Amino acid sequence: MMGIDRYRNNIKSLTHFLFAGCLLASVSLSAQQTKVLQHGAHRVGKRTDAEMATWRGYGLGQFIHWGVYSLFGGELNGNYYNGAAEWIRSWKDMPHGVYDSAYKQFNPASFNATQWAKMAKQMGVRYVTFTTKHHDGFCLWPSKYTDYTIANSPYKKDIVKQVVDAYSKEGIDVYLYFSVMDWHNPDWRYDLKTKEDSAAFERFKLFTKNQLTELLQQYPQTKGLWFDGTWDNSWKKSGAFTDTLEQYLKTLHPGLIIGSRFRADEFGNRHVDANGVLMGDYEQGWERKIPKTYADVHGNDWDCVMTIPENGWGYQKKWLGHWKSTNEILEMTAQCVSLGGNFVLNFGPRADGTFRPEEVTIAKEAGDWMKINSAAIYNCEYTGWEKQDWGYYTKKTGENKVYMIVFNVPVSGSLKIKPAKNTLVDKAYLLTAPGKNLSLEKLDYGASFIHVSSTGYKQPFVIVLETKEGSEKSDEQKAKT
Ligand code: 1KN
């Protein structure tokens, strides 16, 4: 016995030795390409804590852009700005004096945070991201670090607090949008070229830290921060500061979720560090675009933020060009969830606090669909099954349940299914008719058809597939050609 054990142990240490050798070899091999970073990513792979698991399961979110720009709605003296409405201050036709004093008219008489939250709840969103301060620098909370806040508008009351409280009460998690770039603060710099720039930016960094601390302390229900306006050289040259600040915010607020748009490494890399590793808790680069394949998401958590019109986040009086239908929005939601991400739809309320009818309709219609079909969206992930033309697969995390969200029924009415290796479909049924099994016509090599009516659909529908482990035929049994 002893002898065998010793032999086994020797084998074990030999394998350990070989393994360690390989590891060393691979480390030293890649050391040529791997930079040692002080302020690079501090984690490889996804976060594994409960807060992030909740985030991952949201499926659908709401974004809200609201601020001084909402007063203009993309218009000045009858002329319309071509760019995104929340950027109107940077229009050549906009005198800064006009924009910067407009907050004296910000008085949203019809604002009702409870109604907003109830509309979002009805729509089925599970998180909201709300603009506390956009690039113009106007704060929707009474920040004590600037006078350019809601407290000095005729409205006076704290808007961020009302939004945080009302949404939290509805069970919708709140994330705060915060633009680092601040057109109102004289210490903001695009780049640091002179000593004076650096001195000003030191003050600006402290101001930013103070405001973020203030937000987390005043709104402790906050689940995360959504940063924007972090692309300029001034910020990119502040890698060490951004890293320290991120860690400080997380100490202040354990579990806090911050995307990849916040900080830079010491070489000025953003989103991914000099070694190509994601910095932040999820990939925050999917703005108005959706990955096409799972390979595109590089194993990261991610969400996609999307406008209803082609572009423009703040209220725009005139929506020119295409604006998305509810079915397009549902398709984007399904596509995102099928690729392991969340979909976040933006709303731009009017300055008086009301939503335009197009947005109300979309929220209502999407919510009506979600009421029936949200099982295929909430707590779902990527399946790994081969994509089919009829739509999108999602898989319930931790369960043997796959959903087919069907958008395009072929003229044959035959929906093809090809499960991943070692997976069999046990049962199929409409999500709306769980007692009534659909028949599966077996095809070769583990694929099947489900035959449905080829016409008559107004909305996407969901088929549930209950799966089990196993394979139709072993590889040995397959015909050799
Ligand atoms: C292409 O440059 C930009 C710069 C800022 C595109 C968008 C944005 C801002 N991010 C969105 C979430 C909005 O806040 C938009 O103003």
Side-chain angles (χ1 to χ4, degrees):
M1 268 312 269
M2 271 301 281
I4 287 178
D5 273 354
R6 191 168 297 152
Y7 172 75
R8 278 193 185 137
N9 281 339
N10 281 344
I11 294 274
K12 231 168 132 184
S13 43
L14 182 69
T15 23
H16 277 171
F17 174 76
L18 285 175
F19 180 65
C22 287
L23 214 64
L24 275 177
S26 73
V27 166
S28 56
L29 195 76
S30 54
Q32 292 153 7
Q33 297 138 341
T34 303
K35 292 198 171 102
V36 177
L37 296 172
Q38 298 269 320
H39 302 293
H42 301 302
R43 187 195 68 248
V44 176
K46 296 178 180 180
R47 254 172 70 169
T48 54
D49 55 290
E51 285 85 359
M52 205 62 205
T54 300
W55 187 94
R56 201 170 287 135
Y58 288 142
L60 183 62
Q62 181 187 40
F63 211 145
I64 296 183
H65 275 73
W66 203 37
V68 168
Y69 44 82
S70 315
L71 286 161
F72 296 95
E75 186 226 317
L76 183 67
N77 304 326
N79 298 318
Y80 286 87
Y81 174 50
N82 251 337
E86 73 282 1
W87 274 71
I88 196 166
R89 187 183 183 277
S90 65
W91 186 17
K92 60 170 179 31
D93 292 1
M94 172 65 78
H96 285 175
V98 169
Y99 191 94
D100 293 346
S101 53
Y103 75 101
K104 291 177 189 156
Q105 275 134 53
F106 193 77
N107 193 6
S110 308
F111 172 55
N112 182 329
T114 304
Q115 272 174 18
W116 283 22
K118 285 194 188 307
M119 178 175 112
K121 185 74 180 176
Q122 190 281 333
M123 180 182 165
V125 305
R126 303 216 292 175
Y127 67 130
V128 65
T129 303
F130 182 69
T131 48
T132 61
K133 174 178 98 164
H134 205 262
H135 309 330
D136 61 10
F138 184 71
C139 301
L140 292 179
W141 83 101
S143 176
K144 65 177 182 212
Y145 301 102
T146 170
D147 290 334
Y148 195 44
T149 79
I150 195 69
N152 294 316
S153 74
Y155 183 70
K156 291 193 172 67
K157 293 181 286 265
D158 183 346
I159 285 175
V160 173
K161 180 172 169 45
Q162 294 179 62
V163 168
V164 172
D165 287 348
Y167 277 75
S168 299
K169 202 171 160 204
E170 290 296 328
I172 298 171
D173 285 351
V174 181
Y175 292 72
L176 303 180
Y177 170 106
F178 183 94
S179 171
V180 169
M181 176 170 75
D182 185 322
W183 296 332
H184 193 268
N185 189 317
D187 291 329
W188 164 255
R189 292 292 180 284
Y190 290 94
D191 206 345
L192 308 177
K193 291 194 167 141
T194 64
K195 264 195 170 157
E196 194 283 324
D197 285 341
S198 298
F201 209 63
E202 282 309 307
R203 294 191 296 271
F204 186 81
K205 289 190 309 199
L206 181 61
F207 164 74
T208 301
K209 180 182 176 183
N210 284 338
Q211 284 207 320
L212 292 170
T213 304
E214 190 179 43
L215 283 171
L216 291 180
Q217 284 175 344
Q218 289 189 20
Y219 317 106
Q221 306 100 309
T222 302
K223 303 292 182 201
L225 300 171
W226 204 100
F227 288 102
D228 208 1
T230 50
W231 48 75
D232 287 302
N233 278 340
S234 50
W235 195 250
K236 282 158 64 174
K237 288 175 180 173
S238 308
F241 170 78
T242 64
D243 184 21
T244 311
L245 179 54
E246 185 177 283
Q247 291 185 39
Y248 163 77
L249 295 171
K250 288 186 170 185
T251 314
L252 207 64
H253 196 103
L256 191 71
I257 293 173
I258 297 178
S260 64
R261 211 183 278 197
F262 183 52
R263 68 185 181 94
D265 73 5
E266 59 262 52
F267 293 98
N269 294 289
R270 296 177 59 245
H271 293 283
V272 294
D273 68 15
N275 296 317
V277 185
L278 188 80
M279 295 179 288
D281 299 321
Y282 65 96
E283 162 68 70
Q284 209 188 333
W286 297 104
E287 179 166 317
R288 294 198 299 117
K289 57 181 195 260
I290 301 178
K292 291 205 169 50
T293 68
Y294 193 62
D296 295 340
V297 308
H298 303 292
N300 295 319
D301 280 316
W302 63 278
D303 70 2
C304 162
V305 294
M306 187 59 75
T307 53
I308 300 172
E310 297 274 73
N311 193 11
W313 303 78
Y315 175 62
Q316 237 164 342
K317 289 180 186 167
K318 255 197 207 170
W319 268 354
L320 299 171
H322 178 69
W323 75 79
K324 295 169 190 69
S325 66
T326 304
N327 279 336
E328 277 178 86
I329 282 154
L330 293 175
E331 179 154 7
M332 289 175 164
T333 307
Q335 186 178 354
C336 288
V337 175
S338 79
L339 294 172
N342 295 320
F343 181 74
V344 181
L345 188 67
N346 180 69
F347 290 73
R350 299 185 187 102
D352 69 359
T354 61
F355 286 92
R356 64 192 313 144
E358 295 91 336
E359 290 181 349
V360 173
T361 303
I362 286 171
K364 169 83 173 66
E365 289 176 354
D368 289 346
W369 187 87
M370 287 292 285
K371 244 165 230 102
I372 300 165
N373 300 291
S374 67
I377 301 296
Y378 295 157
N379 304 317
C380 286
E381 60 188 22
Y382 173 65
T383 53
W385 297 19
E386 184 187 286
K387 166 99 174 67
Q388 302 294 333
D389 290 339
W390 44 253
Y392 305 89
Y393 290 115
T394 63
K395 179 188 177 298
K396 186 68 81 185
T397 300
E399 289 181 35
N400 294 325
K401 231 178 223 176
V402 167
Y403 300 92
M404 299 167 59
I405 312 180
V406 182
F407 284 84
N408 310 299
V409 177
V411 289
S412 65
S414 306
L415 310 178
K416 192 174 180 181
I417 305 163
K418 192 165 180 278
K421 250 194 178 165
N422 253 328
T423 308
L424 287 176
V425 176
D426 211 13
K427 271 196 226 177
Y429 49 88
L430 289 170
L431 181 60
T432 51
K436 215 172 125 201
N437 287 347
L438 299 169
S439 58
L440 286 149
E441 187 196 358
K442 301 263 181 237
L443 304 171
D444 211 353
Y445 299 106
S448 312
F449 270 142
I450 292 176
H451 301 283
V452 298
S453 161
S454 62
T455 56
Y457 302 99
K458 288 205 172 66
Q459 282 210 307
F461 63 95
V462 175
I463 295 173
V464 186
L465 306 175
E466 290 189 8
T467 66
K468 60 182 182 193
E469 256 185 58
S471 54
E472 289 294 335
K473 285 178 182 173
S474 69
D475 285 345
E476 290 77 16
Q477 284 173 305
K478 280 182 187 168
K480 294 207 164 62
T481 52

